[in-house]
Amino acid sequence: MYQYDIEDQRLVEERAAQFRGQVQRRLEGSITEDEFKPLRLQNGLYMQLHAYMLRVAIPYGLLSSTQLRKLAHIARVYDKGYGHFSTRQNIQYNWPKLADVPTILDELASVQMHAIQTSGNCIRNTTSDHLAGVAPDELEDPRPYCEVIRQWSTFHPEFAFLPRKFKIAVTGTPDDDRAAVRFHDIGIRLVQDPAGGEHCFEILVGGGMGRTPHIAKVIREFLPYEDLLSYLEAILRVYNRYGRRDNKFKARIKILVSELGIDEFKRQVDDEWAQIRDGGLKLLRSEIDRIKANFAPPPYRELPPHDLRLSAEGLSADPSLRHFVRNNVKAHRQPGYCAVVISLKAPGRPPGDASDTQMDVVAELADEFGFGRIVVTHTQNLVLPDVEQQRVAELHARLREHELHTANIGTLTDSICCPGLDFCNLANARSIPVAIELGERFDRLDYLADLGEVSLKISGCINACGHHHVGNIGILGIDKIGEEAYQLVLGGSPGNDASIGKIVGRAFNRAQIVDAVQTVLEVYLRDREDANERFIDYYRRVGEEPFKEALYGDHQEG
Amino acid sequence: MEIIKRGEIVTSTFVHLGDEDALPADGAPMDVTVTLARWQSERQALRAHPGAVGVRLSPDDELEPLLPDLDALALVAVEFPRFTDGRGYSLARLLRERHGYRGELRAVGNVLRDQLFYMHRCGFDAFELQPGKSIHDALSAFEELSVRYQAGADEPHPLFRRRVGSGM
Ligand code: SF4
């Protein structure tokens, strides 16, 4: 993985020192909370319902075991013994004290980490495919480019006060987008150059969730790699100058793109780009190579290929192991290896939470089983990307000792969930308890296996941090005359077949929502063609009518 | 008024005139700034004004109308109505990098210590701090971060071109 050089390291140390000064000035009262707010926000520090929340950047989700141990240590010493992995592949701490934050930043800097630009109206942490570098269907590892973007965007002087936050995602697997690039302000896909040269980028712009979800549009089909930064800079400059600042809810780039139309927006970007394309932002082969060398594959062993599903593990009489192999183990490009997803969705636990002990255990297992690397997924799980297939049963047994063996990846209970009313001051409704109840209601592995691939995503309000728009089944918390209520959204998908879910009808109250999900699942199980027809396929074939009927009866209008 | 200019605290003689404020009638050599609109409509009179004249840009101004006159101006000031309004950063870079403006480029309005680093990197060389803020304290804001990934007014090349072995 990328190792900081002397400059990268100095920057995070200076930043920690700078923030120490800012906190001190705030505590002394020489700056007001209003003036402090954008400073702390650019350091990932939010004021939540009960306390400050600190969000730590995990660039493109990649961690070393040393870094994960540090995150565990921070959870233990400065928080209540856990951390929350977010849909941005970051980690959040819900209970740090303001006076401790500078020390936490020092701790992070000591392992090449930081909280820079994890919040605020600036360019946020660049996200990527959690199987980057190991997926067999990958065209090229996207992470070196993510790192290039990370450096370019870090303290970019022109783009520190954008109209609104700005998120970029990169995938190196054009045929299977696991990074939801179409729902980002800028989505980047590595694609084959039609002329047969080096890989190019397809650039998409204006995607997003929030109250008005948009699927990003293609703005440039084949961008040569060396133009990546100049093109991003051109987009950002047009957005910085012309994005709306009069209304927070219309300030994302998706609104600018849709108000101008993609053609006019592209024209403005291209005009700007023409002026800067041949300047100092042109990437150097030597720098790309320097960064790529950091992502060289680990020293794999020569192993025979092996079909895990047909092995003793895959056919095990132990349902936990059998389902684990089926759901949590992912194909790897190196023969004899696999990537193992560790679910942070154990029944009864808030999705994405990990205790300090669990983080330490995962770090230890990463050292023992996988070259000391861990990846955070945007679906709030952890991945050990390089595990020998023949050691999967052993790994499973070890995970089981710490309740990290839940075999539900890709199934209904592998849900995404925002913090909701338990932590967030914008929330209309609680989301974590709904996720927990769903996890408990549908915890039978054979039932989940029968349901197959279906995604469930829960947001506590219209801001959609839980990505409910792109859940096959989405749940949206709303406020119904002072009561928590939930809308059911069906038909979303974040990947190559991107679609935005539709609200199916009138909202449910807290006591009804889990039953409503069950009703939806029953309709599907009853009427699907066969087990190969996934939930989303079924929905796309039949539409919402059968669900409406089952949920509301004949006479209910939406 | 005291401002920071090129890293030092100096006294500025400029008065920011609103669009309704008259120019000093008796031809007193007062240094003034005016809005871009006023510059455009009263250019002749302003050019004859005995004091120095600068133009104040608001974040939604376009630069094109100003370009022919850039050399004639004593000062270009960019207004930050709220420090969270980042459009002025783009204007500054365009003035410096694209249009070759070399004169004084001053940030005015809601200008606070913790934005000075970014402003300076974008090409501002003068800063009128929000009244009530310590200008001496602000002087130390420029050097808190010594590492710059991007090129800027203070750094001709992005870091990736400066790294050892990268070549230029
Ligand atoms: S979706 Fe709403 S409730 Fe959930 S975290 Fe985002 S803002 Fe808070």
Side-chain angles (χ1 to χ4, degrees), chain A residues 418-421 424 426-429 431 459-466:
Chain A
C418 81
L421 197 53
C424 174
L426 302 172
N428 289 320
S431 47
S459 304
C461 80
I462 191 76
N463 287 322
C465 304

Side-chain angles (χ1 to χ4, degrees), chain A residues 392-463:
Chain A
V392 163
E394 193 192 337
L395 175 59
H396 173 261
R398 297 281 296 280
L399 289 168
R400 193 176 227 169
E401 291 167 20
H402 302 278
E403 288 180 38
L404 286 165
H405 65 299
T406 310
N408 62 349
I409 299 306
T411 71
L412 182 79
T413 56
D414 180 15
S415 53
I416 291 187
C417 174
C418 81
L421 197 53
D422 294 292
F423 295 99
C424 174
N425 32 22
L426 302 172
N428 289 320
R430 277 167 292 183
S431 47
I432 294 171
V434 175
I436 291 179
E437 192 186 333
L438 282 157
E440 286 170 342
R441 169 89 59 104
F442 303 106
D443 74 337
R444 280 186 21 241
L445 288 173
D446 49 352
Y447 180 77
L448 290 176
D450 189 27
L451 276 177
E453 186 188 318
V454 52
S455 61
L456 188 131
K457 303 185 198 272
I458 309 171
S459 304
C461 80
I462 191 76
N463 287 322

Side-chain angles (χ1 to χ4, degrees), chain A residues 8 14 158 242 272 282, chain B residues 90 93 98 146 149 161:
Chain A
D8 300 315
E14 288 175 352
E158 187 179 346
Y242 303 111
E272 181 57 42
K282 207 169 256 293
Chain B
S90 289
R93 284 195 70 194
R98 186 158 303 161
S146 68
Y149 283 115
R161 285 176 183 270

Side-chain angles (χ1 to χ4, degrees), chain A residues 421 425-430 459-462 476-487 507-509:
Chain A
L421 197 53
N425 32 22
L426 302 172
N428 289 320
R430 277 167 292 183
S459 304
C461 80
I462 191 76
L476 163 63
I478 59 168
D479 180 83
K480 212 172 169 184
I481 334 169
E483 293 234 349
E484 290 171 76
Y486 299 89
Q487 267 169 340
F508 300 92
N509 64 30

Side-chain angles (χ1 to χ4, degrees), chain A residues 65-119:
Chain A
S65 53
T66 310
Q67 291 175 325
L68 185 54
R69 283 197 184 88
K70 181 61 80 178
L71 296 178
H73 168 80
I74 291 170
R76 194 161 40 240
V77 176
Y78 305 100
D79 203 286
K80 297 187 177 177
Y82 69 97
H84 175 77
F85 290 97
S86 79
T87 57
R88 297 289 306 156
Q89 300 180 297
N90 290 325
I91 187 169
Q92 299 177 176
Y93 294 105
N94 283 311
W95 307 98
K97 292 198 207 53
L98 179 58
D100 284 340
V101 173
T103 309
I104 299 176
L105 296 185
D106 287 340
E107 298 250 19
L108 290 169
S110 74
V111 294
Q112 310 193 346
M113 296 185 79
H114 59 77
I116 296 165
Q117 289 169 216
T118 54
S119 48

Side-chain angles (χ1 to χ4, degrees), chain A residues 129 131-141 171-178 190 331-333 496:
Chain A
D129 183 351
L131 298 178
V134 304
D137 52 355
E138 183 173 273
L139 186 65
E140 187 182 336
D141 189 345
T171 175
T173 306
D175 295 334
D176 188 5
D177 172 12
R178 289 173 289 259
L190 272 151
H332 198 290
R333 68 169 64 139
N496 276 33

